[in-house]
Amino acid sequence: MRIDVVSIFPEYLAALELSLIGKARQEGLLELAVHDLRDFTTDRHRTVDDTPYGGGAGMVMKPEPWAAALDAVAGDGDERPVLIVPSPAGAVFTQAMAYELAEEKHLVFACGRYEGIDERVLEWAGERFDVRPVSLGDYVLNGGEVAVLAMVEAVGRLVPGVVGNPESLVEESHSDGLLEYPVYTKPSAWRERPVPEVLLSGNHGKIARFRRDEQLRRTADRRPDLIEKLDAATLDKADRATLAALGYEIRDGRVCPPA
Ligand code: JEE
């Protein structure tokens, strides 16, 4: 896979050289290039922003440097790269999107700053790119760079060979719409806190049940929205008992919260 990132803060993306993604790069699984948008300006001051038409706070990124930068990274034209544009007004980035993007040959990330990029750039880019405005989540950042770090890591680790242990990806893909169970390691007692006894029992049936109950419990506590999305047909008798103890009721295939 090839990944191009365009930003006025290319040093911000230096973290991508490290760890997982950096190694995949060295091994030729991922080809990553970071470009400075200012290298595509033509004026003495390397200007990338201007005042907004219609008024309002802040500045907007000018279209011309973006067009030049995107022309430079678009490739030969017989592909249709995905252009990911981080934006607080984008669709929220999900693991499902990460799986889709991991199948692509060429991803381009356009990091905006200020109040964002002139909208006409996105319209124009649609001629040669599959343009996707995407948000990292429902909070406001100062620009697209942090979102791109997260998205490149989420996508990059799904590219075959990038994650050392493919079994962990298989387990992940079978994750059932619940939060993870808690994990523990040695020592078995630490600062008066024992590891839950069942995990030392060697009873694999009991361990699986304990973990599943912990998943249900913490999902109900932290992400009740995920509990309501569960298909009751995927729940066994013990799951139903645990949910009932948490106050949930199962009515025509749905898991309903306590009133
Ligand atoms: C890209 C510029 C800054 C701040 C104004 C904010 C008014 C743009 N999850 C995410 N949050 N934020 C971003 C993100 C932020 C960006 C850019 C991504 C480029 N900025 C910026 C404020 C505003 N609006 C929302 O309420 C209305 C616009 C992001 C991602 N991905």
Side-chain angles (χ1 to χ4, degrees):
M1 173 185 287
R2 176 172 177 85
I3 299 178
D4 289 286
V5 183
V6 182
S7 165
I8 60 168
F9 295 124
E11 330 83 77
Y12 220 120
L13 287 305
L16 295 177
E17 322 258 325
L18 305 168
S19 74
L20 202 73
I21 303 302
K23 223 182 265 160
R25 245 183 115 179
Q26 284 167 5
E27 288 168 17
L29 299 166
L30 276 180
E31 209 183 337
L32 173 76
V34 180
H35 310 269
D36 187 344
L37 181 69
R38 291 194 198 275
D39 291 345
F40 299 92
T41 57
T42 53
D43 66 312
R44 219 164 54 78
H45 300 289
R46 309 202 340 139
T47 311
V48 294
D49 62 325
D50 206 337
T51 54
Y53 277 119
M59 300 291 271
V60 173
M61 293 191 107
K62 293 166 62 61
E64 300 93 335
W66 277 110
L70 296 176
D71 276 339
V73 301
D76 49 23
D78 60 288
E79 50 168 338
R80 199 172 158 76
V82 178
L83 176 63
I84 298 137
V85 186
S87 162
V92 175
F93 182 75
T94 61
Q95 187 66 18
M97 278 187 213
Y99 280 115
E100 286 173 22
L101 295 176
E103 304 279 314
E104 298 287 339
K105 274 171 55 185
H106 189 186
L107 305 180
V108 177
F109 290 88
C111 299
R113 280 270 152 180
Y114 313 104
E115 297 297 304
I117 304 170
D118 187 308
E119 189 64 25
R120 293 169 294 178
V121 173
L122 282 75
E123 296 168 16
W124 164 84
E127 291 174 19
R128 268 181 305 156
F129 294 87
D130 179 2
V131 181
R132 313 248 184 105
V134 173
S135 167
L136 193 59
D138 291 339
Y139 36 78
V140 182
L141 303 172
N142 277 333
E145 285 79 6
V146 164
V148 168
L149 288 175
M151 293 181 212
V152 169
E153 183 153 310
V155 172
R157 64 190 289 285
L158 299 178
V159 172
V162 172
V163 161
N165 181 4
E167 278 166 44
S168 48
L169 290 185
V170 171
E171 192 171 314
E172 213 172 271
S173 72
H174 292 147
S175 80
D176 33 26
L178 296 173
L179 300 183
E180 305 294 296
Y181 53 76
V183 296
Y184 304 86
T185 186
K186 292 174 275 300
S188 62
W190 175 73
R191 301 199 177 181
E192 327 247 283
R193 293 161 194 276
V195 166
E197 205 170 70
V198 61
L199 298 179
L200 285 65
S201 70
N203 183 331
H204 300 294
K206 273 196 169 168
I207 290 171
R209 190 64 250 162
F210 169 80
R211 287 178 165 169
R212 178 82 174 169
D213 284 341
E214 287 299 303
Q215 285 188 278
L216 290 164
R217 212 183 293 289
R218 53 161 58 172
T219 305
D221 182 45
R222 303 174 188 176
R223 293 292 305 277
D225 58 308
L226 295 181
I227 294 284
E228 290 180 51
K229 279 190 206 142
L230 290 174
D231 174 2
T234 67
L235 303 172
D236 67 16
K237 232 172 157 197
D239 292 336
R240 291 159 189 258
T242 300
L243 287 169
L246 293 167
Y248 286 90
E249 274 184 63
I250 294 171
R251 278 188 254 110
D252 44 79
R254 306 273 78 208
V255 184
C256 306

